[in-house]
Amino acid sequence: MLDVRAGILWLWARWRIKKDQPIIIAVGGAIAKTSTKAAIGAILREAFPGQVRVGYGNLNSYLGVPLAVLGFEIDFYKHKVGFWGWLKILISAKWRGLFGRLPKYLVLEFGTDQTGDLDKITKKLQPDYGVITIVGPAHLMNYKDEAEMAHDEGFLAERTKPTGVVFLNHADPYREAHRSRAKAKVREIVTPLELIATEFAKAVGAELKVHTEKIASGLKNYHQPEHRFDEKRIGSWRVLDDSYNASPLAMEAAFNRLRLLPGRHVAVLGEMRELGPGEAKFHGQIGQLARSSVNLIIGVGELAKHYQPDQWYATADEAAKGILAILKDGDTVLVKGSHSLHLEKIITALENQANIHE
């Protein structure tokens, strides 16, 4: 059924692309794909109003990318789509493919979850500009090892059109392998992990001849996607809500950001899922790294025990109840963990507590 749906969606997405010939910017990598996509979109919308489509949410799979091309806004995490829902989508896809003219720029996210994902997506859709934010341990459950996953990510470099540009991270341990496969010009970006989104966006904007003032104003209006590096005040606490997903690199980026913030640092660290046989080792390493920038570590989930946390909870619901007795006025709180743990419940608990005391 998946292949049938994807086949129909790709048919109409490719038909529309062939007709309209948009400039395609594709973002891949282990972390910050969605944030980088959003930052690039913010700059291009500032420079080319009405001429930009940014793929919705995390529509980044073989099934999701054609939906993003055709302008669908669907969150499969929040809404389950049944038979009739899919029938409606496929009919709409045909209509959009036949009559829904594409804008000049498409900013898309290419994701990988198992061997061959990026190979399949890039065979269907070659980008004009390819961005690989950085490759590291993430989504390893369905891969033999990290090198196999990195090879799959490298298809984005390999299949970016020769007339275009591939953007690589200077810190990517696989950058030379990506470079050797690229047929397009390659640009390397030097950036801290926590600034990947904005620094890559600036580089893409400059390559597209966007004026520096437009780049600056676009980033000024840029907002992080929900639950991704979302810094806010909740009552007396400063909260860094990065609860959408987690991997070792993403954890490191969050700690880098946390170091810059004032107050006692409290990290609510949910387990990192889909890391394969090395999951315990990765959790132990992150626990050690956290100690360099965190005063109090709260672990959530069975694997989070490997962080050696100061306080541990089995679930987000338990953590949401228990954290209120732990926090002090003026604390800075990082909330970070795999999406399936639903650590956003902790953010809600903090907001509810703050509202009571208003």
Side-chain angles (χ1 to χ4, degrees):
M1 180 63 177
L2 174 62
D3 289 341
V4 172
R5 289 177 295 181
I8 294 171
L9 292 171
W10 276 112
L11 170 67
W12 296 115
R14 280 159 54 93
W15 172 267
R16 199 65 255 167
I17 287 170
K18 183 178 179 180
K19 289 288 185 181
D20 298 333
Q21 296 292 305
I23 295 169
I24 296 168
I25 301 154
V27 182
I31 66 170
K33 291 188 295 295
T34 304
S35 298
T36 302
K37 175 187 67 177
I40 294 170
I43 287 173
L44 297 188
R45 281 170 169 160
E46 185 73 17
F48 311 109
Q51 301 180 61
V52 182
R53 173 173 293 163
V54 179
Y56 180 78
N58 65 338
L59 292 177
N60 60 16
S61 65
Y62 186 66
L63 184 69
V65 171
L67 288 167
V69 169
L70 294 171
F72 284 92
E73 297 187 359
I74 302 170
D75 187 335
F76 291 112
Y77 284 116
K78 294 181 179 178
H79 305 289
K80 300 299 181 184
V81 181
F83 175 82
W84 295 109
W86 271 111
L87 182 60
K88 183 178 178 180
I89 288 170
L90 295 177
I91 292 171
S92 180
K94 179 177 180 179
W95 180 266
R96 296 182 191 203
L98 289 172
F99 306 110
R101 188 172 179 83
L102 297 176
K104 183 177 180 179
Y105 297 95
L106 289 180
V107 188
L108 305 171
E109 181 180 337
F110 286 9
T112 178
D113 189 50
Q114 59 186 348
T115 303
D117 280 352
L118 261 293
D119 185 15
K120 290 168 61 178
I121 293 171
T122 55
K123 277 180 180 176
K124 290 289 189 182
L125 185 56
Q126 284 188 275
D128 297 279
Y129 298 90
V131 174
I132 302 179
T133 60
I134 192 168
V135 174
H139 305 295
L140 292 177
M141 184 65 72
N142 298 317
Y143 285 98
K144 180 177 66 177
D145 52 30
E146 186 179 307
E148 184 180 52
M149 186 268 287
H151 178 76
D152 205 24
E153 290 282 0
F155 281 110
L156 182 50
E158 180 178 324
R159 297 206 173 112
T160 293
K161 294 175 184 177
T163 53
V165 179
V166 174
F167 297 85
L168 301 178
N169 193 322
H170 183 72
D172 191 327
Y174 301 95
R175 76 180 192 283
E176 290 304 324
H178 302 328
R179 179 185 283 276
S180 69
R181 294 169 67 179
K183 301 173 180 65
K185 180 172 67 174
V186 174
R187 286 195 58 193
E188 288 191 17
I189 310 302
V190 178
T191 174
L193 289 173
E194 67 274 19
L195 296 180
I196 280 176
T198 53
E199 292 304 305
F200 272 93
K202 289 176 186 176
V204 172
E207 190 66 39
L208 291 171
K209 304 296 189 292
V210 178
H211 195 278
T212 53
E213 290 182 0
K214 291 288 187 181
I215 291 176
S217 58
L219 290 178
K220 184 178 180 180
N221 295 323
Y222 158 67
H223 298 288
Q224 290 279 5
E226 188 178 25
H227 304 307
R228 293 175 174 91
F229 266 162
D230 184 10
E231 185 182 332
K232 52 192 171 183
R233 297 291 305 198
I234 300 179
S236 66
W237 308 300
R238 184 188 303 270
V239 178
L240 184 58
D241 177 5
D242 198 22
S243 60
Y244 191 82
N245 54 27
S247 68
L249 281 175
M251 285 285 191
E252 184 179 348
F255 298 154
N256 290 347
R257 177 75 169 272
L258 186 62
R259 288 190 190 99
L260 302 176
L261 300 177
R264 185 178 71 145
H265 293 164
V266 179
V268 182
L269 305 181
E271 60 187 16
M272 302 177 291
R273 294 180 175 175
E274 300 181 9
L275 290 179
E279 60 188 10
K281 176 192 71 174
F282 289 127
H283 283 78
Q285 291 172 347
I286 289 302
Q288 292 178 8
L289 183 63
R291 292 294 172 190
S292 65
S293 55
V294 176
N295 302 108
L296 183 68
I297 299 174
I298 299 172
V300 183
E302 190 64 29
L303 288 170
K305 290 179 179 178
H306 295 288
Y307 295 137
Q308 296 296 310
D310 302 292
Q311 180 69 42
W312 177 83
Y313 298 100
T315 67
D317 288 310
E318 291 179 15
K321 294 175 183 177
I323 192 174
L324 298 176
I326 295 173
L327 294 184
K328 300 177 181 178
D329 289 348
D331 281 350
T332 292
V333 186
L334 166 68
V335 182
K336 179 78 176 163
S338 288
H339 183 266
S340 54
L341 283 172
H342 298 292
L343 294 190
E344 67 274 7
K345 293 178 179 179
I346 294 170
I347 306 297
T348 301
L350 297 180
E351 290 172 336
N352 291 340
Q353 182 70 10
N355 290 335
I356 291 172
H357 292 285
E358 280 187 352

